[in-house]
Amino acid sequence: MSGLLAVLEQRPNAEGKPEWNRMSFETLAAAQQLAREMNTTVGAALLGEGIGALAGELASRQLGKVYAVEHDLLRDYTPDAYTAALQQLVDHVKPSLVLFPHTYQVRDFLPKLATALDRVAVSDVVAHRVENGAPVFVRQLFQGKVNADVRFAAGEPNFASLQAGAYRADQVADGSAAVEGFAPQIDAGRVRTRPLELFRESQRAVDLSAAEIIVSVGRGIKEAENIPLVQKLADALGAELAASRPICDAGWLPMERQVGSSGQTVAPKLYLAVGISGAIQHLVGMKGSRTVVAINKDANAPIFEIADYGIVGDLFQVVPALTAAVQKAKS
């Protein structure tokens, strides 16, 4: 194989059974799209132990092949074991480009893997295009104020990790693929990390990831006493109320309603951003939304760059008028 390889992430759940990281299928969608644009093939790989069911799920996707990389030292994540296994897999598959979800786990081992192969890794990719048959990846710098184009100058394979929400998981194409087992040779003596019990978050009272409509409020609301203005719009739409980090940091809404890199990642059918400028930390959490509507008085706010519909105006005038229009349409 000389095409693309998407390395997907799983981890044991509370019962010890492997389950997907939800960013994995975003990476798979990106890999399929790139393969089409580059007129090449794409395969998928996952690492672990007892991953047959997940590999079988991948076999129903449009892929050249699925690689089930299994070893008892891959049951619990360690950077040494993952790097050793992936080095051998890359040597076996010989892809030109390897894509990963930009998870905490990938951030931990990808630099080690790229260095071991004397290659570079482009991290936190938010978009791409293909020029002259080669990928050009886009990264954001200075908190999203600057977009940088990155091209690979070194030899293959190249590596890149994709930011959460940059690609839509629901765009993964179905098909059929063969599953190939791959058993790496891993020396237990060279695995220096001893995994402890995984950190698990307490159950959230609000699961924004399941909401079909979200109305999210930012610091344009000015003060906590104005939050009910946006709550009325959310109620009229039958939506969940969410917020950017400054609102939750100030205690105006509970932290479980925060959307962003340090909050929840959401992908509703409709995301209405009220008074949110669009800092990269917030965009990370909501870029997978199908339709984005933004209300902001600053016509140059970054949120308008990703919005499907934008209203430039004073939210204190726009929101009540929009709420009244929704209520009238429903009556």
Side-chain angles (χ1 to χ4, degrees):
M1 175 181 174
S2 59
L4 278 59
L5 180 67
V7 177
L8 311 185
E9 182 172 311
Q10 60 80 28
R11 66 187 295 179
N13 60 20
E15 289 74 41
K17 295 181 179 179
E19 63 181 21
W20 293 113
N21 180 302
R22 62 186 175 188
M23 288 174 59
S24 289
F25 284 86
E26 296 177 11
T27 302
L28 188 56
Q32 288 181 333
Q33 181 182 342
L34 257 170
R36 289 192 297 269
E37 294 170 358
M38 295 172 65
N39 193 28
T40 188
T41 58
V42 58
L46 69 157
L47 287 70
E49 183 186 42
I51 54 176
L54 296 188
E57 184 178 345
L58 285 180
S60 65
R61 308 298 180 173
Q62 192 177 88
L63 295 164
K65 188 171 287 187
V66 175
Y67 299 93
V69 185
E70 293 204 65
H71 194 286
D72 57 357
L73 289 174
L74 295 174
R75 182 186 185 282
D76 297 312
Y77 166 73
T78 63
D80 290 328
Y82 265 56
T83 298
L86 284 170
Q87 275 186 267
Q88 294 170 50
L89 180 66
V90 167
D91 184 61
H92 172 68
V93 178
K94 294 181 171 52
S96 60
L97 175 64
V98 187
L99 299 177
F100 301 83
H102 191 67
T103 62
Y104 288 110
Q105 184 169 288
V106 168
R107 294 180 216 186
D108 187 48
F109 75 77
L110 183 53
K112 177 180 174 68
L113 173 63
T115 301
L117 294 172
D118 196 25
R119 295 291 183 266
V120 296
V122 179
S123 63
D124 222 11
V125 169
V126 298
H128 79 273
R129 64 182 183 276
V130 175
E131 293 183 354
N132 300 319
V136 179
F137 290 114
V138 180
R139 298 184 71 247
Q140 293 187 316
L141 308 176
F142 303 110
Q143 295 189 332
K145 293 181 174 62
V146 176
N147 282 353
D149 289 347
V150 182
R151 296 171 175 82
F152 293 108
E156 299 173 348
N158 301 134
F159 300 93
S161 64
L162 310 178
Q163 188 184 96
Y167 296 87
R168 285 174 48 178
D170 62 358
Q171 293 182 345
V172 171
D174 292 334
S176 61
V179 177
E180 177 182 317
F182 183 80
Q185 302 298 312
I186 304 176
D187 182 356
R190 301 188 66 177
V191 178
R192 297 164 294 178
T193 307
R194 297 293 175 262
L196 300 176
E197 183 179 356
L198 290 175
F199 169 77
R200 299 189 186 278
E201 296 181 82
S202 59
Q203 186 67 36
R204 292 187 177 106
V206 179
D207 182 11
L208 295 176
S209 65
E212 293 193 348
I213 304 175
I214 293 175
V215 176
S216 195
V217 61
R219 58 180 132 198
I221 200 67
K222 295 183 178 179
E223 53 190 4
E225 288 72 19
N226 295 325
I227 296 287
L229 182 76
V230 183
Q231 180 69 67
K232 288 180 182 178
L233 176 57
D235 292 342
L237 289 168
E240 286 286 356
L241 182 65
S244 61
R245 180 171 178 172
I247 299 301
C248 296
D249 281 350
W252 298 357
L253 284 174
M255 296 302 294
E256 63 193 19
R257 292 192 178 271
Q258 180 188 331
V259 171
S261 57
S262 55
Q264 296 199 49
T265 299
V266 300
K269 292 181 179 178
L270 173 63
Y271 189 89
L272 183 54
V274 180
I276 293 174
S277 63
I280 184 60
Q281 293 89 343
H282 185 76
L283 298 185
V284 164
M286 48 69 69
K287 283 181 67 176
S289 305
R290 294 189 186 182
T291 302
V292 177
V293 178
I295 302 171
N296 201 294
K297 65 180 181 181
D298 179 7
N300 297 315
I303 190 70
F304 288 124
E305 295 182 12
I306 68 162
D308 298 285
Y309 302 95
I311 302 172
V312 179
D314 185 345
L315 71 86
F316 294 100
Q317 296 177 3
V318 175
V319 170
L322 186 56
T323 302
V326 172
Q327 290 172 336
K328 182 178 179 180
K330 293 174 67 176
S331 62

